[in-house]
Amino acid sequence: MRTSHSFQPFAPRARRAVVAIVLTFALASAVGTALTIWKTGPSKGQAAVVEVASRQRTLAERYVEELLLVRAGAVASPAQTGSLLTRSVAAQLTGGEAPPVNGDDDSTRLPRQDDPSLRAQLLEEQRLVHDLTLAGRAFLAGAPVEAVSLTGHERLGPLTPTQRLRVLAALTSNVSLDIARTVANRADRNIATLTRLQVGLGIGGLVVSLLLAWALVAATRRQTAHFQSLVNSSTDLVLVLSDGGCRYASGSVTTIVGQPEANLLRDGFLQFVHDDDREVVENARRTGQPQTIVFRLRSHAGEWRHLEAHLTDLRHDRHVRGVVLNARDITERFRLEQELTRQAQRDTFGTQLVEALEMADEEETTLGVVERAMTEISSVAPTELLLSDSSRAHLERAAVSPTAGAPACPVESPFSCVAVRRGNPVVFESSEALNACPKLRDRTGGPCSAVCVPVSFMGRSLGVLHATGPEGRPPDPQQIAQLTTLATQAGARIGTVRAFEKTQLQASTDGLTGLNNRRTLETHLRALIRDRAQFALAIADLDHFKQLNDKHGHEAGDRALRSFAQTVQRGLRDGDLIARWGGEEFVIVMPGADAQGAVAVLERVREALARAHHGGHPVFTASFGVADTTHAATLEQLLQVADTGLYISKDAGRDRITIGEASALPRGLDPTGAGDEPGVRPARSRPAFHDAVSDEDHEVSIRLA
């Protein structure tokens, strides 16, 4: 047989036989036409049904993605997509006009479906669409998706709301695919029946004319074989590859590449295949394997289109003698899958980042998590986190990429950064561009690209996350999205940690003097007593404080309290503790010291206090009462002993230090606390020399005791 490089399945052959057949079988043709109309009548309009059923699969997937976009704060219209799903399945079931879909097709007129099996599938699809849209509305409303009643007899296990929506969408897609398959199978059966009838007519023609019978059978079998091979193998794009290269390219292929078929034959087709995919196509041509391949084809616009091809090895079919590639354009699906993959990676990164930051209780630990996240985003891009100091006027480097180092941004204050001022991430392709940030220019490493992401907490700027890359190649969108997530989550955690630390500080300190407050000191003292530690305790009281307030005003009194607190702090030893007990009364704790050692320290403090008066500050003195753990065993008793010493100091003329006496405790109490009644705190008593001390000076002390 003579081989040809081109493959023309419908080229006219056996012309004389065909002419004779036409003349001889005019009647048979009329009968055949009638039979064709009869058998193909039920398939009329079914192509539109298949088209809409196939479109339902895309709409179901689009509906779920739009739900996720809306939930993420993006702009989408899942309600419109859900309406298209519902109206389309209704049109398939009862007949009528299927609504148009933007970017897909126009409205389509559909016939009513009377086939029982097909109607059952359409009803099931209608129920699934109903369940999917109800679940979608619940998902957007924040209601529990699992509470939505399922009418399609779905059996769904314990799933997250997103997984539940995807499963319902997948079920809807599968039923739509089954509907398309049912319609196609029915059409195939009609075609097969029609083929058999045509063969029967051919045999009848053979009976009428033995001479033309052989030509008729041969032509019919040849044309039928060509038709059947293409029908069973082709979808949108059809290619036939053989040892000599491309033998046939369908019109859809020539349209997409913008070249006539002659330019695609032999090795011409490979010129339009991506370099990285040519080996895949060549292997498919040689072996007919694997059954499915994906390759890129350059379109007439210069764009690379992704094609998914199903291979049918017909090299042993004498009518084809090649490998048939039935391909469809999956570029949009491929891009969507890539975006979904990137989104899944961003979601995973964000989830892990949030969980890691939740375990960071201190700012230093939080910055460690930030540095590990920098490495995960990019191990080669210099990245740094700049945070403002307590004045919020200066930026300081707080975290640096452990693998790539810092880009060393010279910005000095938060509002000197353009990203902070705009409140959004800013990307610079080149530091030399006219609109590039001036801080990027004149760097030792030369021109670069950069992305700057502001870091904030509750609307207040905390700093900026800064990353650089080669000029013209800034971080890709995936990395920018991850940097934005890092900046958002890190800002929230750092702000929370700082707020918590500030709250803890406020709860444990006195607002006027900055010293520990009474509650903090009591906790510290009880811990020392519980550990049986040796310590001395002193009570200090400013002399004539009420007169100072009355004469100079409360502002002067506050200055005196602050001056006293600062002077005492400077005079104490490392490890000693002072707290404001209340009013003008202070308590000093000296771990490891006895009463005599405490007196020596306090004498230095008293002398420093005398030297501290200068300028417009009013002159004041302080009296001290001292006790240590040899005087009493409980905190209450220690305070009473020290208070006794304070009263003695007041009575003796003030501005002095006195060690309290355990003998002054109320009768029944001893230094070991043996006579205490359980749960009863003893009352504070005054010494016998109270008459010499004015009530005015001790009003606050008595009230606090």
Side-chain angles (χ1 to χ4, degrees):
M1 296 179 60
R2 181 175 61 88
T3 59
S4 173
H5 290 294
S6 62
F7 179 56
Q8 302 293 335
F10 300 114
R13 303 184 181 212
R15 295 183 180 180
R16 290 188 295 273
V18 171
V19 171
I21 290 172
V22 171
L23 295 176
T24 305
F25 291 100
L27 180 61
S29 297
V31 174
T33 301
L35 291 174
T36 300
I37 295 173
W38 173 53
K39 295 304 295 182
T40 59
S43 299
K44 184 178 181 181
Q46 297 306 301
V49 175
V50 173
E51 178 186 1
V52 173
S54 300
R55 189 182 71 185
Q56 290 290 83
R57 300 178 63 194
T58 303
L59 288 177
E61 296 173 356
R62 183 188 301 175
Y63 179 71
V64 173
E65 299 307 323
E66 289 180 348
L67 287 174
L68 296 178
L69 289 173
V70 171
R71 189 68 176 266
V75 178
S77 54
Q80 180 180 359
T81 305
S83 174
L84 291 173
L85 279 167
T86 304
R87 291 162 56 196
S88 296
V89 72
Q92 291 180 85
L93 187 62
T94 61
E97 185 170 335
V101 176
N102 292 336
D104 190 349
D105 52 23
D106 298 326
S107 59
T108 306
R109 195 74 182 178
L110 302 177
R112 172 184 172 84
Q113 301 300 323
D114 297 321
D115 183 78
S117 61
L118 186 58
R119 286 188 64 82
Q121 290 176 321
L122 288 170
L123 288 172
E124 179 62 17
E125 181 186 9
Q126 190 175 47
R127 288 190 289 267
L128 287 171
V129 169
H130 175 266
D131 294 346
L132 177 61
T133 54
L134 280 183
R137 288 196 290 270
F139 181 75
L140 289 181
V145 177
E146 62 272 10
V148 175
S149 177
L150 301 177
T151 61
H153 310 296
E154 303 96 326
R155 296 180 181 178
L156 304 181
L159 301 171
T160 65
T162 302
Q163 291 174 336
R164 197 175 185 91
L165 287 171
R166 292 190 184 280
V167 170
L168 288 173
L171 290 174
T172 304
S173 298
N174 287 340
V175 172
S176 299
L177 178 61
D178 289 341
I179 292 171
R181 187 182 293 113
T182 299
V183 174
N185 288 340
R186 189 169 61 180
D188 284 345
R189 288 195 300 270
N190 290 338
I191 292 174
T193 302
L194 179 61
T195 301
R196 289 192 295 270
L197 290 174
Q198 292 291 350
V199 172
L201 288 175
I203 294 174
L206 288 174
V207 174
V208 175
S209 177
L210 294 177
L211 181 61
L212 297 178
W214 176 252
L216 175 61
V217 171
T220 303
R221 289 180 60 186
R222 183 166 55 252
Q223 297 292 353
T224 301
H226 291 166
F227 175 78
Q228 188 175 15
S229 296
L230 293 178
V231 168
N232 291 338
S233 305
S234 65
T235 54
D236 294 331
L237 308 172
V238 181
L239 292 162
V240 177
L241 305 179
S242 65
D243 294 338
C246 179
R247 294 186 59 209
Y248 171 74
S250 65
S252 54
V253 178
T254 62
T255 300
I256 195 172
V257 299
Q259 296 289 331
E261 182 183 2
N263 293 347
L264 302 179
L265 299 180
R266 303 177 184 85
D267 296 332
F269 172 72
L270 289 178
Q271 299 176 7
F272 299 92
V273 178
H274 195 281
D275 293 342
D276 296 340
D277 299 332
R278 288 182 182 176
E279 181 61 29
V280 175
V281 176
E282 279 291 288
N283 182 68
R285 178 186 64 80
R286 291 191 302 268
T287 65
Q289 295 295 330
Q291 292 185 347
T292 303
I293 63 172
V294 176
F295 62 95
R296 285 161 289 182
L297 191 68
R298 188 175 69 246
S299 69
H300 61 87
E303 179 186 11
W304 290 107
R305 308 296 296 180
H306 289 77
L307 303 182
E308 182 182 62
H310 296 273
L311 275 61
T312 304
D313 190 355
L314 298 179
R315 288 177 295 171
H316 301 293
D317 187 325
R318 65 188 183 90
H319 300 290
V320 181
R321 298 191 183 279
V323 177
V324 180
L325 274 69
N326 299 280
R328 58 174 179 168
D329 192 337
I330 61 167
T331 304
E332 300 305 323
R333 190 190 78 184
F334 183 81
R335 291 173 179 170
L336 179 59
E337 289 174 349
Q338 283 188 321
E339 179 59 31
L340 291 176
T341 301
R342 288 192 291 267
Q343 182 62 46
Q345 292 174 345
R346 289 195 295 268
D347 292 344
T348 301
F349 172 80
T351 300
Q352 293 178 348
L353 178 63
V354 170
E355 292 175 352
L357 290 174
E358 285 176 349
M359 293 183 283
D361 297 328
E362 300 177 351
E363 184 167 336
E364 183 178 354
T365 309
T366 302
L367 295 176
V369 173
V370 171
E371 289 185 343
R372 295 200 307 271
M374 289 176 180
T375 303
E376 186 167 334
I377 294 172
S378 175
S379 60
V380 297
T383 310
E384 63 187 351
L385 174 63
L386 306 177
L387 293 179
S388 59
D389 57 13
S390 58
S391 68
R392 300 183 66 242
H394 301 89
L395 285 176
E396 299 175 349
R397 184 178 296 118
V400 176
S401 171
T403 58
C409 179
V411 64
E412 297 178 350
S413 65
F415 293 98
S416 297
C417 177
V418 63
V420 173
R421 292 199 300 270
R422 294 182 183 178
N424 293 305
V426 180
V427 181
F428 301 102
E429 293 282 343
S430 172
S431 57
E432 300 303 314
L434 179 63
N435 62 341
C437 175
K439 306 292 184 181
L440 292 174
R441 298 196 182 100
D442 302 325
R443 295 200 175 186
T444 57
C448 63
S449 60
V451 58
C452 304
V453 186
V455 179
S456 62
F457 176 66
M458 298 183 67
R460 298 183 63 184
S461 172
L462 293 181
V464 62
L465 184 63
H466 180 55
T468 59
E471 184 180 20
R473 288 186 295 167
D476 59 42
Q478 174 79 357
Q479 293 173 327
I480 293 175
Q482 290 178 324
L483 288 171
T484 303
T485 300
L486 176 58
T488 301
Q489 298 300 333
R493 191 57 184 175
I494 291 172
T496 301
V497 169
R498 288 183 175 180
F500 181 70
E501 290 176 348
K502 183 178 180 181
T503 301
Q504 283 188 317
L505 181 63
Q506 292 174 343
S508 62
T509 59
D510 174 60
L512 177 63
T513 63
L515 300 176
N516 290 317
N517 58 22
R518 178 172 180 166
R519 178 178 298 177
T520 303
L521 183 66
E522 283 184 340
T523 301
H524 184 71
L525 285 170
R526 295 188 189 280
L528 289 174
I529 292 174
R530 184 174 60 250
D531 296 338
R532 299 183 182 275
Q534 167 71 31
F535 66 91
L537 180 145
I539 298 179
D541 189 276
L542 271 64
D543 297 328
H544 300 297
F545 185 71
K546 186 174 186 302
Q547 295 177 13
L548 187 150
N549 270 338
D550 293 342
K551 182 178 180 180
H552 299 282
H554 289 284
E555 184 178 352
D558 291 344
R559 289 201 304 272
L561 291 173
R562 286 193 291 267
S563 176
F564 176 78
Q566 294 167 2
T567 302
V568 174
Q569 280 185 305
R570 288 193 295 268
L572 293 178
R573 308 170 306 165
D574 292 341
D576 292 345
L577 182 67
I578 178 174
R580 187 182 180 191
W581 198 251
E584 74 276 20
E585 199 169 35
F586 297 81
V587 173
I588 303 168
V589 180
M590 303 180 189
D594 57 11
Q596 294 296 336
V599 169
V601 174
L602 294 176
E603 282 292 350
R604 293 196 299 270
V605 170
R606 192 176 62 82
E607 293 172 359
L609 185 63
R611 297 191 301 269
H613 300 299
H614 59 82
H617 290 284
V619 177
F620 65 90
T621 60
S623 300
F624 300 85
V626 180
D628 63 30
T629 48
T630 62
H631 294 119
T634 68
L635 174 60
E636 290 79 5
Q637 293 172 9
L638 277 172
L639 290 170
Q640 288 183 14
V641 173
D643 202 24
T644 299
L646 176 63
Y647 282 124
I648 295 174
S649 296
K650 293 282 189 180
D651 184 65
R654 299 179 175 82
D655 190 20
R656 63 193 67 235
I657 305 164
T658 305
I659 299 175
E661 299 177 0
S663 60
L665 292 173
R667 181 175 298 176
L669 298 179
D670 56 49
T672 62
D676 293 351
E677 295 182 17
V680 178
R681 177 175 175 174
R684 189 171 176 177
S685 64
R686 295 173 182 263
F689 40 79
H690 162 66
D691 292 340
V693 183
S694 69
D695 288 336
E696 176 184 50
D697 289 333
H698 296 285
E699 178 184 357
V700 176
S701 298
I702 295 171
R703 184 179 66 253
L704 291 174

